[in-house]
Amino acid sequence: LRRLEPDPELLPTSEDLLQLLEEAELFGFKLESGEGAQILQRILHHHLARLATGFQPEAAQGLLNFLKVQKRIPITVDLTEAQNFFFGLLKEHFPALAARSARHLEDRDLAATLVDLADALNFDPEPYQRLLL
């Protein structure tokens, strides 16, 4: 995690990390590392800041990819602050994005990824899915 922190976009595709996760899952390891949790927290904040800055599909997908891998890492990460921040982003941007999504493919892709992100961050995605109908 220390090696990946300077370039957090590589975390979801790191062969070393993915191999380590497979071994941890195989043996049922639960790693509790304060430093590891802090690194993961900083990477999570990096992805959220990137999403908030540009609100682009690539940033949303990067965050989703990170969350998928992060859930496999046997280290507890407190998501409360990230959930609050993401909820604020959704509240501010999602209704207009959903309205545009019927006409613009990029907006539709971003909206769909945001719904997946809501689910990954333990929100009920159904209210957001309804706005896309």
Side-chain angles (χ1 to χ4, degrees), residues 11-13 17-18 21 40 64-74:
L11 188 131
T13 59
L17 179 62
L18 295 175
L21 291 177
L40 290 171
L64 185 59
N65 292 342
F66 167 75
L67 288 171
K68 286 178 182 177
V69 171
Q70 181 270 318
K71 285 185 186 237
R72 291 183 56 203
I73 298 173

Side-chain angles (χ1 to χ4, degrees), residues 13-61:
T13 59
S14 167
E15 289 297 323
D16 290 341
L17 179 62
L18 295 175
Q19 182 179 355
L20 182 66
L21 291 177
E22 286 177 18
E23 291 173 11
E25 288 169 356
L26 178 67
F27 293 107
F29 290 145
K30 179 70 176 166
L31 305 175
E32 283 306 324
S33 164
E35 181 185 6
Q38 290 172 355
I39 291 169
L40 290 171
Q41 198 78 38
R42 287 191 297 266
I43 293 172
L44 175 60
H45 287 274
H46 161 83
H47 284 288
L48 285 166
R50 185 172 169 235
L51 177 62
T53 299
F55 219 70
Q56 297 297 315
E58 301 80 25
Q61 190 61 54

